[in-house]
Amino acid sequence: MNEIEQPTPSASACPARSGRVSPFYHETIFDELADARAGEPVFYSPETDCWVVTRYDDVMAILHDHARFSSENTSDSATPVHQDALDIMKRGGFSAEKVQSNCDGERHTRVRNVSAQMLNVRTFALLEPKIRDLVTGALDRLEGRGEADLLADLTYELPAQVLFLFLGIPKEDTEKVKAWSGTRTILNFSPSTYDQQVAGAQDMVDYWRYCVDLVAERMANPGDDVVSGLLRVRKGDDSVITLNELTTVVYGLVFAGHETTTSQLTNTFRALLTWRENWEAICADPSLIPFAVEEAFRYFGAVIGWRRRALEDVVLGGVTVPKGGQILLSFASANRDEAHFDAPERFDVRRKNARKHLTMGNGKHVCLGAPLARLEMKIVLEEFTRRFPNVRLKPGAEIKHAYTYVFNAPKSLPVILR
Ligand code: HEM
């Protein structure tokens, strides 16, 4: 995985503000985006071939304008895929389609209606006791230790284990699936080299086959998991959802259902511990935890930018985006737009309107797993504040991030536990 150096927050107090903003996650991105909102709210980014939209109102308007903006490019490879990699995928029978997040119109509505029957507050709530067991088990393993890397030791595997309970995937497969998901982050959301594409193509074939086998197994042996539930909704009827579409939904979930939650949980700890009075506030009053979760989504969202494509020439912020042009909706910027959030650079669990953040999108495509992510984060913070109230960031620790313009995905979070 390509990585960039990411100094600790204290080191970034005086960011350099020069040149045009790079939308890739980097140390000073939030300050640079603030300058862009003020001076050049829509700008072209050559390294991503996207027009970056930075103001909250513009981002929100695009999320709701399905006549002029398409979602079909949300997961396209950030670098054109080399024919050798495409051949590997074709030979391996990779046949994921554009469904759900990256499709539009009637098809999106049809597929979303199927998934929403399994991905909803009611089904997620049933998981609560099991999530709590997983969290307490993970925290038991931290007992007696003076230091930990909260990513490696807690937030890396936990969301995958929750999702696997939901999908009925064996726990032993966690490592394999997390590795495939890391590859998918590089291929779809970061610039990739020829070697990464070729190696990654084989991983994607294995990942796809894993999903095909999972669906076939649940057809033979239905259970009370999500895949079996989706098959029950389908009732063998292609007009509801085809088997390949359903497998693609599973392929999407096996990624979307944990990678972002891993990052969001890590970012939440980082924000709370950096703005320490907020950590102490939630330890003293756990009823503030749901507000802390929303403020962390706003302040340090795991998704910093999400793509759309212009279906016609459109004028945005005085700039013409040509038909077919790619747009990067900068959630990182919109979430700190001073027109909507007072003192947006402050992390404050008592902020009244944090829930207006756009980290999970908005409108027809809004994240279907949002209630699950919120539930997991709430449980983790409830249990962690009880067990390790004195936790603090390890001074001087270096935090690296994945090199991507889609995610704020830290690679570690060293802390002192006691
Ligand atoms: C912190 C965690 C998460 C974040 C930040 C996040 C963020 C997002 C974003 C930005 C979108 C695209 C919205 C758009 O295009 O307008 C999305 C879509 C989606 N997410 Fe999440 N997500 C998270 C967790 C989850 C989980 C846990 C699941 C499943 C269990 C999930 C399933 C989905 C699905 C199925 C879609 C596609 C919805 C559609 O296009 O109809 N996500 N998510």
Side-chain angles (χ1 to χ4, degrees):
M1 162 86 73
N2 275 333
E3 284 174 346
I4 53 167
E5 305 291 305
Q6 176 63 23
T8 50
S10 54
S12 64
C14 295
R17 299 189 185 196
S18 61
R20 190 157 269 185
V21 185
S22 161
F24 285 86
Y25 186 85
H26 60 285
E27 180 201 349
T28 52
I29 190 168
F30 294 106
D31 300 286
E32 292 165 22
L33 287 168
D35 286 349
R37 277 195 305 281
E40 199 182 7
V42 177
F43 63 90
Y44 180 69
S45 145
E47 68 270 60
T48 60
D49 186 25
C50 287
W51 275 263
V52 183
V53 179
T54 61
R55 287 188 182 159
Y56 187 100
D57 289 340
D58 291 336
V59 172
M60 186 66 128
I62 293 170
L63 285 170
H64 286 265
D65 185 346
H66 307 288
R68 294 195 302 162
F69 301 97
S70 165
S71 287
E72 57 86 26
N73 62 334
T74 57
S75 312
D76 282 0
S77 175
T79 309
V81 185
H82 194 279
Q83 192 57 43
D84 292 354
L86 293 173
D87 289 345
I88 291 170
M89 291 170 84
K90 192 168 174 201
R91 276 199 304 276
F94 181 91
S95 61
E97 299 176 62
K98 294 204 170 203
V99 296
Q100 194 121 354
S101 171
N102 53 354
C103 74
D104 300 319
E106 183 281 327
R107 182 173 211 212
H108 170 255
T109 309
R110 176 172 55 81
V111 173
R112 186 170 169 112
N113 284 345
V114 172
S115 338
Q117 292 189 51
M118 297 311 301
L119 304 178
N120 56 57
V121 179
R122 193 174 41 80
T123 54
F124 294 146
L126 297 173
L127 292 171
E128 172 148 9
K130 290 179 182 167
I131 298 176
R132 209 169 283 277
D133 282 353
L134 281 172
V135 173
T136 40
L139 297 188
D140 287 346
R141 289 190 286 282
L142 291 181
E143 285 293 351
R145 290 180 54 180
E147 295 188 3
D149 172 356
L150 283 190
L151 186 113
D153 297 324
L154 179 67
T155 64
Y156 182 71
E157 282 200 351
L158 189 70
Q161 288 167 351
V162 170
L163 184 80
F164 292 0
L165 273 177
F166 198 48
L167 293 175
I169 292 179
K171 203 176 161 193
E172 308 78 79
D173 292 348
T174 307
E175 207 177 312
K176 185 163 68 180
V177 174
K178 285 297 279 188
W180 288 333
S181 303
T183 305
R184 201 170 158 192
T185 301
I186 296 173
L187 294 186
N188 293 12
F189 305 116
S190 317
S192 50
T193 61
Y194 173 83
D195 288 347
Q196 283 172 322
Q197 288 190 1
V198 167
Q202 189 52 54
D203 272 1
M204 290 307 97
V205 167
D206 295 343
Y207 185 175
W208 173 252
R209 283 194 181 145
Y210 181 87
C211 297
V212 171
D213 292 348
L214 181 65
V215 171
E217 202 276 326
R218 290 309 133 76
M219 283 172 83
N221 302 300
D224 59 2
D225 56 276
V226 170
V227 181
S228 304
L230 291 170
L231 286 162
R232 272 193 290 277
V233 176
R234 173 175 129 84
K235 285 192 194 138
D237 182 351
D238 281 351
S239 71
V240 176
I241 188 166
T242 69
L243 209 50
N244 200 66
E245 285 172 339
L246 187 147
T247 308
T248 310
V249 168
V250 174
Y251 173 78
L253 281 178
V254 171
F255 175 79
H258 59 94
E259 274 303 278
T260 41
T261 314
T262 284
S263 298
Q264 191 61 53
L265 269 170
T266 316
N267 293 342
T268 302
F269 275 106
R270 186 173 174 193
L272 283 163
L273 298 177
T274 303
W275 297 81
R276 177 90 206 170
E277 65 279 16
N278 288 272
W279 177 257
E280 279 156 19
I282 64 166
C283 289
D285 178 4
S287 73
L288 286 172
I289 286 175
F291 300 95
V293 167
E294 297 309 322
E295 176 66 344
F297 270 122
R298 183 196 71 82
Y299 182 84
F300 258 169
V303 178
I304 56 170
W306 201 245
R307 281 171 286 179
R308 290 289 193 262
R309 193 182 291 288
L311 293 171
E312 56 186 64
D313 290 357
V314 270
V315 179
L316 293 169
V319 174
T320 301
V321 177
K323 179 177 177 179
Q326 284 212 98
I327 289 165
L328 185 66
L329 303 173
S330 177
F331 294 164
S333 176
N335 287 344
R336 294 192 186 201
D337 187 334
E338 33 295 280
H340 285 265
F341 301 101
D342 289 340
E345 305 302 331
R346 253 185 79 77
F347 179 82
D348 180 1
V349 298
R350 292 192 170 82
R351 184 182 293 281
K352 294 277 179 284
N353 65 349
R355 210 181 157 96
K356 275 177 64 179
H357 68 78
L358 297 176
T359 298
M360 290 166 142
N362 203 281
K364 274 190 190 175
H365 282 275
V366 71
C367 176
L368 269 176
L372 180 60
R374 290 189 162 106
L375 179 64
E376 283 181 58
M377 290 169 64
K378 176 173 143 325
I379 294 173
V380 169
L381 290 178
E382 283 170 355
E383 298 298 331
F384 203 99
T385 47
R386 249 201 297 275
R387 300 267 283 265
F388 302 101
N390 296 323
V391 64
R392 58 185 198 279
L393 291 175
K394 188 168 174 181
E398 190 188 21
I399 300 173
K400 292 181 177 177
H401 281 72
Y403 186 60
T404 155
Y405 54 88
V406 175
F407 301 118
N408 173 355
K411 296 282 126 200
S412 65
L413 189 63
V415 295
I416 295 168
L417 286 170
R418 302 227 184 250

PDB file of all heavy atoms in Angstrom, residues 50 62-64 66 69-74 101 306-310 325-329 361-362 365:
ATOM      1  N   CYS A  50     -10.571  15.364 -11.572  1.00  0.00           N
ATOM      2  CA  CYS A  50     -11.902  15.666 -11.016  1.00  0.00           C
ATOM      3  C   CYS A  50     -12.038  17.161 -10.781  1.00  0.00           C
ATOM      4  O   CYS A  50     -11.054  17.835 -10.447  1.00  0.00           O
ATOM      5  CB  CYS A  50     -12.060  15.007  -9.637  1.00  0.00           C
ATOM      6  SG  CYS A  50     -12.268  13.245  -9.656  1.00  0.00           S
ATOM      7  N   ILE A  62     -25.756  18.621  -5.426  1.00  0.00           N
ATOM      8  CA  ILE A  62     -25.359  17.574  -6.384  1.00  0.00           C
ATOM      9  C   ILE A  62     -25.851  16.201  -5.915  1.00  0.00           C
ATOM     10  O   ILE A  62     -26.333  15.386  -6.708  1.00  0.00           O
ATOM     11  CB  ILE A  62     -23.824  17.595  -6.593  1.00  0.00           C
ATOM     12  CG1 ILE A  62     -23.430  18.900  -7.293  1.00  0.00           C
ATOM     13  CG2 ILE A  62     -23.351  16.377  -7.376  1.00  0.00           C
ATOM     14  CD1 ILE A  62     -21.935  19.170  -7.351  1.00  0.00           C
ATOM     15  N   LEU A  63     -25.743  15.952  -4.604  1.00  0.00           N
ATOM     16  CA  LEU A  63     -26.203  14.658  -4.081  1.00  0.00           C
ATOM     17  C   LEU A  63     -27.683  14.414  -4.379  1.00  0.00           C
ATOM     18  O   LEU A  63     -28.128  13.270  -4.454  1.00  0.00           O
ATOM     19  CB  LEU A  63     -25.977  14.592  -2.563  1.00  0.00           C
ATOM     20  CG  LEU A  63     -24.539  14.386  -2.092  1.00  0.00           C
ATOM     21  CD1 LEU A  63     -24.433  14.583  -0.576  1.00  0.00           C
ATOM     22  CD2 LEU A  63     -24.029  12.995  -2.469  1.00  0.00           C
ATOM     23  N   HIS A  64     -28.440  15.518  -4.540  1.00  0.00           N
ATOM     24  CA  HIS A  64     -29.887  15.370  -4.771  1.00  0.00           C
ATOM     25  C   HIS A  64     -30.290  15.571  -6.225  1.00  0.00           C
ATOM     26  O   HIS A  64     -31.471  15.441  -6.545  1.00  0.00           O
ATOM     27  CB  HIS A  64     -30.661  16.341  -3.857  1.00  0.00           C
ATOM     28  CG  HIS A  64     -30.665  15.889  -2.433  1.00  0.00           C
ATOM     29  ND1 HIS A  64     -31.689  15.154  -1.887  1.00  0.00           N
ATOM     30  CD2 HIS A  64     -29.732  16.012  -1.465  1.00  0.00           C
ATOM     31  CE1 HIS A  64     -31.403  14.868  -0.628  1.00  0.00           C
ATOM     32  NE2 HIS A  64     -30.212  15.374  -0.341  1.00  0.00           N
ATOM     33  N   HIS A  66     -30.269  14.094  -9.491  1.00  0.00           N
ATOM     34  CA  HIS A  66     -29.976  12.866 -10.246  1.00  0.00           C
ATOM     35  C   HIS A  66     -30.183  13.058 -11.743  1.00  0.00           C
ATOM     36  O   HIS A  66     -29.795  12.214 -12.528  1.00  0.00           O
ATOM     37  CB  HIS A  66     -30.829  11.714  -9.710  1.00  0.00           C
ATOM     38  CG  HIS A  66     -30.682  11.567  -8.230  1.00  0.00           C
ATOM     39  ND1 HIS A  66     -29.540  11.079  -7.648  1.00  0.00           N
ATOM     40  CD2 HIS A  66     -31.508  11.918  -7.208  1.00  0.00           C
ATOM     41  CE1 HIS A  66     -29.665  11.118  -6.332  1.00  0.00           C
ATOM     42  NE2 HIS A  66     -30.847  11.621  -6.038  1.00  0.00           N
ATOM     43  N   PHE A  69     -26.457  14.624 -12.518  1.00  0.00           N
ATOM     44  CA  PHE A  69     -25.239  13.990 -12.001  1.00  0.00           C
ATOM     45  C   PHE A  69     -25.475  12.496 -11.807  1.00  0.00           C
ATOM     46  O   PHE A  69     -26.482  12.091 -11.230  1.00  0.00           O
ATOM     47  CB  PHE A  69     -24.825  14.637 -10.673  1.00  0.00           C
ATOM     48  CG  PHE A  69     -24.572  16.119 -10.807  1.00  0.00           C
ATOM     49  CD1 PHE A  69     -25.556  17.037 -10.479  1.00  0.00           C
ATOM     50  CD2 PHE A  69     -23.364  16.581 -11.312  1.00  0.00           C
ATOM     51  CE1 PHE A  69     -25.341  18.401 -10.629  1.00  0.00           C
ATOM     52  CE2 PHE A  69     -23.131  17.940 -11.470  1.00  0.00           C
ATOM     53  CZ  PHE A  69     -24.123  18.859 -11.129  1.00  0.00           C
ATOM     54  N   SER A  70     -24.514  11.728 -12.293  1.00  0.00           N
ATOM     55  CA  SER A  70     -24.628  10.273 -12.201  1.00  0.00           C
ATOM     56  C   SER A  70     -23.704   9.740 -11.105  1.00  0.00           C
ATOM     57  O   SER A  70     -22.657  10.317 -10.810  1.00  0.00           O
ATOM     58  CB  SER A  70     -24.221   9.668 -13.547  1.00  0.00           C
ATOM     59  OG  SER A  70     -23.979   8.290 -13.402  1.00  0.00           O
ATOM     60  N   SER A  71     -24.088   8.580 -10.550  1.00  0.00           N
ATOM     61  CA  SER A  71     -23.263   7.907  -9.534  1.00  0.00           C
ATOM     62  C   SER A  71     -22.445   6.775 -10.136  1.00  0.00           C
ATOM     63  O   SER A  71     -21.766   6.060  -9.391  1.00  0.00           O
ATOM     64  CB  SER A  71     -24.175   7.296  -8.456  1.00  0.00           C
ATOM     65  OG  SER A  71     -24.706   8.279  -7.643  1.00  0.00           O
ATOM     66  N   GLU A  72     -22.510   6.596 -11.443  1.00  0.00           N
ATOM     67  CA  GLU A  72     -21.918   5.366 -11.991  1.00  0.00           C
ATOM     68  C   GLU A  72     -20.403   5.263 -11.836  1.00  0.00           C
ATOM     69  O   GLU A  72     -19.839   4.189 -11.934  1.00  0.00           O
ATOM     70  CB  GLU A  72     -22.352   5.166 -13.447  1.00  0.00           C
ATOM     71  CG  GLU A  72     -22.036   6.303 -14.410  1.00  0.00           C
ATOM     72  CD  GLU A  72     -20.643   6.250 -15.040  1.00  0.00           C
ATOM     73  OE1 GLU A  72     -20.086   5.149 -15.161  1.00  0.00           O
ATOM     74  OE2 GLU A  72     -20.131   7.324 -15.403  1.00  0.00           O
ATOM     75  N   ASN A  73     -19.742   6.368 -11.509  1.00  0.00           N
ATOM     76  CA  ASN A  73     -18.272   6.330 -11.392  1.00  0.00           C
ATOM     77  C   ASN A  73     -17.775   6.253  -9.948  1.00  0.00           C
ATOM     78  O   ASN A  73     -16.566   6.367  -9.715  1.00  0.00           O
ATOM     79  CB  ASN A  73     -17.665   7.577 -12.058  1.00  0.00           C
ATOM     80  CG  ASN A  73     -18.114   8.873 -11.375  1.00  0.00           C
ATOM     81  OD1 ASN A  73     -19.173   8.907 -10.765  1.00  0.00           O
ATOM     82  ND2 ASN A  73     -17.313   9.915 -11.494  1.00  0.00           N
ATOM     83  N   THR A  74     -18.665   6.032  -8.978  1.00  0.00           N
ATOM     84  CA  THR A  74     -18.221   6.160  -7.577  1.00  0.00           C
ATOM     85  C   THR A  74     -17.091   5.200  -7.211  1.00  0.00           C
ATOM     86  O   THR A  74     -16.288   5.507  -6.345  1.00  0.00           O
ATOM     87  CB  THR A  74     -19.374   5.945  -6.569  1.00  0.00           C
ATOM     88  OG1 THR A  74     -19.949   4.670  -6.811  1.00  0.00           O
ATOM     89  CG2 THR A  74     -20.441   7.005  -6.688  1.00  0.00           C
ATOM     90  N   SER A 101     -24.413   1.412  -5.132  1.00  0.00           N
ATOM     91  CA  SER A 101     -23.707   2.692  -4.974  1.00  0.00           C
ATOM     92  C   SER A 101     -23.363   3.311  -6.328  1.00  0.00           C
ATOM     93  O   SER A 101     -23.433   4.526  -6.493  1.00  0.00           O
ATOM     94  CB  SER A 101     -22.441   2.476  -4.163  1.00  0.00           C
ATOM     95  OG  SER A 101     -21.671   3.641  -4.185  1.00  0.00           O
ATOM     96  N   TRP A 306     -16.197  11.882  -2.536  1.00  0.00           N
ATOM     97  CA  TRP A 306     -16.975  10.823  -3.205  1.00  0.00           C
ATOM     98  C   TRP A 306     -17.318  11.321  -4.599  1.00  0.00           C
ATOM     99  O   TRP A 306     -17.640  12.503  -4.763  1.00  0.00           O
ATOM    100  CB  TRP A 306     -18.225  10.513  -2.376  1.00  0.00           C
ATOM    101  CG  TRP A 306     -18.829   9.167  -2.647  1.00  0.00           C
ATOM    102  CD1 TRP A 306     -20.053   8.943  -3.190  1.00  0.00           C
ATOM    103  CD2 TRP A 306     -18.253   7.889  -2.381  1.00  0.00           C
ATOM    104  NE1 TRP A 306     -20.284   7.585  -3.272  1.00  0.00           N
ATOM    105  CE2 TRP A 306     -19.185   6.916  -2.782  1.00  0.00           C
ATOM    106  CE3 TRP A 306     -17.034   7.462  -1.844  1.00  0.00           C
ATOM    107  CZ2 TRP A 306     -18.958   5.548  -2.672  1.00  0.00           C
ATOM    108  CZ3 TRP A 306     -16.788   6.094  -1.732  1.00  0.00           C
ATOM    109  CH2 TRP A 306     -17.747   5.163  -2.144  1.00  0.00           C
ATOM    110  N   ARG A 307     -17.248  10.425  -5.561  1.00  0.00           N
ATOM    111  CA  ARG A 307     -17.361  10.906  -6.947  1.00  0.00           C
ATOM    112  C   ARG A 307     -18.784  10.923  -7.511  1.00  0.00           C
ATOM    113  O   ARG A 307     -19.643  10.171  -7.082  1.00  0.00           O
ATOM    114  CB  ARG A 307     -16.474  10.034  -7.850  1.00  0.00           C
ATOM    115  CG  ARG A 307     -15.016  10.401  -7.768  1.00  0.00           C
ATOM    116  CD  ARG A 307     -14.149   9.396  -8.488  1.00  0.00           C
ATOM    117  NE  ARG A 307     -14.013   8.152  -7.747  1.00  0.00           N
ATOM    118  CZ  ARG A 307     -13.318   7.096  -8.171  1.00  0.00           C
ATOM    119  NH1 ARG A 307     -12.698   7.143  -9.325  1.00  0.00           N
ATOM    120  NH2 ARG A 307     -13.238   6.000  -7.437  1.00  0.00           N
ATOM    121  N   ARG A 308     -18.974  11.762  -8.505  1.00  0.00           N
ATOM    122  CA  ARG A 308     -20.155  11.804  -9.356  1.00  0.00           C
ATOM    123  C   ARG A 308     -19.672  12.157 -10.756  1.00  0.00           C
ATOM    124  O   ARG A 308     -18.527  12.581 -10.929  1.00  0.00           O
ATOM    125  CB  ARG A 308     -21.154  12.878  -8.888  1.00  0.00           C
ATOM    126  CG  ARG A 308     -21.872  12.568  -7.575  1.00  0.00           C
ATOM    127  CD  ARG A 308     -22.885  11.450  -7.721  1.00  0.00           C
ATOM    128  NE  ARG A 308     -23.783  11.332  -6.578  1.00  0.00           N
ATOM    129  CZ  ARG A 308     -23.610  10.457  -5.585  1.00  0.00           C
ATOM    130  NH1 ARG A 308     -22.563   9.648  -5.553  1.00  0.00           N
ATOM    131  NH2 ARG A 308     -24.504  10.380  -4.617  1.00  0.00           N
ATOM    132  N   ARG A 309     -20.531  12.025 -11.769  1.00  0.00           N
ATOM    133  CA  ARG A 309     -20.176  12.437 -13.129  1.00  0.00           C
ATOM    134  C   ARG A 309     -21.255  13.367 -13.666  1.00  0.00           C
ATOM    135  O   ARG A 309     -22.450  13.108 -13.458  1.00  0.00           O
ATOM    136  CB  ARG A 309     -20.034  11.205 -14.041  1.00  0.00           C
ATOM    137  CG  ARG A 309     -19.356  11.532 -15.370  1.00  0.00           C
ATOM    138  CD  ARG A 309     -19.253  10.325 -16.282  1.00  0.00           C
ATOM    139  NE  ARG A 309     -18.329   9.282 -15.853  1.00  0.00           N
ATOM    140  CZ  ARG A 309     -16.987   9.368 -15.869  1.00  0.00           C
ATOM    141  NH1 ARG A 309     -16.410  10.472 -16.271  1.00  0.00           N
ATOM    142  NH2 ARG A 309     -16.250   8.349 -15.484  1.00  0.00           N
ATOM    143  N   ALA A 310     -20.815  14.460 -14.331  1.00  0.00           N
ATOM    144  CA  ALA A 310     -21.789  15.403 -14.895  1.00  0.00           C
ATOM    145  C   ALA A 310     -22.413  14.792 -16.141  1.00  0.00           C
ATOM    146  O   ALA A 310     -21.705  14.305 -17.025  1.00  0.00           O
ATOM    147  CB  ALA A 310     -21.093  16.719 -15.245  1.00  0.00           C
ATOM    148  N   GLY A 325     -17.587  15.112 -17.275  1.00  0.00           N
ATOM    149  CA  GLY A 325     -16.518  15.429 -16.311  1.00  0.00           C
ATOM    150  C   GLY A 325     -16.770  14.762 -14.964  1.00  0.00           C
ATOM    151  O   GLY A 325     -17.907  14.615 -14.523  1.00  0.00           O
ATOM    152  N   GLN A 326     -15.663  14.363 -14.324  1.00  0.00           N
ATOM    153  CA  GLN A 326     -15.770  13.743 -12.998  1.00  0.00           C
ATOM    154  C   GLN A 326     -15.788  14.821 -11.935  1.00  0.00           C
ATOM    155  O   GLN A 326     -15.029  15.784 -11.999  1.00  0.00           O
ATOM    156  CB  GLN A 326     -14.557  12.874 -12.726  1.00  0.00           C
ATOM    157  CG  GLN A 326     -14.535  11.552 -13.439  1.00  0.00           C
ATOM    158  CD  GLN A 326     -13.812  10.539 -12.564  1.00  0.00           C
ATOM    159  OE1 GLN A 326     -14.446   9.761 -11.851  1.00  0.00           O
ATOM    160  NE2 GLN A 326     -12.503  10.547 -12.620  1.00  0.00           N
ATOM    161  N   ILE A 327     -16.616  14.598 -10.934  1.00  0.00           N
ATOM    162  CA  ILE A 327     -16.732  15.555  -9.821  1.00  0.00           C
ATOM    163  C   ILE A 327     -16.334  14.848  -8.545  1.00  0.00           C
ATOM    164  O   ILE A 327     -16.698  13.684  -8.334  1.00  0.00           O
ATOM    165  CB  ILE A 327     -18.187  16.055  -9.743  1.00  0.00           C
ATOM    166  CG1 ILE A 327     -18.448  16.973 -10.948  1.00  0.00           C
ATOM    167  CG2 ILE A 327     -18.473  16.773  -8.440  1.00  0.00           C
ATOM    168  CD1 ILE A 327     -19.884  17.235 -11.206  1.00  0.00           C
ATOM    169  N   LEU A 328     -15.557  15.535  -7.722  1.00  0.00           N
ATOM    170  CA  LEU A 328     -15.244  14.986  -6.403  1.00  0.00           C
ATOM    171  C   LEU A 328     -15.953  15.848  -5.365  1.00  0.00           C
ATOM    172  O   LEU A 328     -15.632  17.031  -5.203  1.00  0.00           O
ATOM    173  CB  LEU A 328     -13.724  15.002  -6.170  1.00  0.00           C
ATOM    174  CG  LEU A 328     -13.268  14.329  -4.871  1.00  0.00           C
ATOM    175  CD1 LEU A 328     -13.554  12.832  -4.895  1.00  0.00           C
ATOM    176  CD2 LEU A 328     -11.776  14.561  -4.638  1.00  0.00           C
ATOM    177  N   LEU A 329     -16.942  15.248  -4.712  1.00  0.00           N
ATOM    178  CA  LEU A 329     -17.667  15.971  -3.661  1.00  0.00           C
ATOM    179  C   LEU A 329     -16.800  15.926  -2.414  1.00  0.00           C
ATOM    180  O   LEU A 329     -16.577  14.848  -1.850  1.00  0.00           O
ATOM    181  CB  LEU A 329     -19.010  15.283  -3.391  1.00  0.00           C
ATOM    182  CG  LEU A 329     -19.922  15.135  -4.612  1.00  0.00           C
ATOM    183  CD1 LEU A 329     -21.149  14.289  -4.266  1.00  0.00           C
ATOM    184  CD2 LEU A 329     -20.336  16.502  -5.128  1.00  0.00           C
ATOM    185  N   GLY A 361     -22.972  10.491   2.824  1.00  0.00           N
ATOM    186  CA  GLY A 361     -23.795  10.912   1.702  1.00  0.00           C
ATOM    187  C   GLY A 361     -25.101  11.497   2.186  1.00  0.00           C
ATOM    188  O   GLY A 361     -25.284  11.787   3.374  1.00  0.00           O
ATOM    189  N   ASN A 362     -26.032  11.641   1.247  1.00  0.00           N
ATOM    190  CA  ASN A 362     -27.339  12.205   1.552  1.00  0.00           C
ATOM    191  C   ASN A 362     -28.212  11.928   0.344  1.00  0.00           C
ATOM    192  O   ASN A 362     -27.716  11.832  -0.762  1.00  0.00           O
ATOM    193  CB  ASN A 362     -27.210  13.723   1.791  1.00  0.00           C
ATOM    194  CG  ASN A 362     -28.339  14.270   2.624  1.00  0.00           C
ATOM    195  OD1 ASN A 362     -29.421  14.492   2.110  1.00  0.00           O
ATOM    196  ND2 ASN A 362     -28.101  14.471   3.906  1.00  0.00           N
ATOM    197  N   HIS A 365     -28.852   7.819  -2.360  1.00  0.00           N
ATOM    198  CA  HIS A 365     -27.755   6.863  -2.181  1.00  0.00           C
ATOM    199  C   HIS A 365     -27.209   6.853  -0.761  1.00  0.00           C
ATOM    200  O   HIS A 365     -26.175   6.223  -0.516  1.00  0.00           O
ATOM    201  CB  HIS A 365     -26.606   7.193  -3.142  1.00  0.00           C
ATOM    202  CG  HIS A 365     -26.841   6.747  -4.544  1.00  0.00           C
ATOM    203  ND1 HIS A 365     -26.550   5.469  -4.988  1.00  0.00           N
ATOM    204  CD2 HIS A 365     -27.347   7.399  -5.606  1.00  0.00           C
ATOM    205  CE1 HIS A 365     -26.849   5.370  -6.270  1.00  0.00           C
ATOM    206  NE2 HIS A 365     -27.340   6.530  -6.676  1.00  0.00           N
TER     207      HIS A 365
END
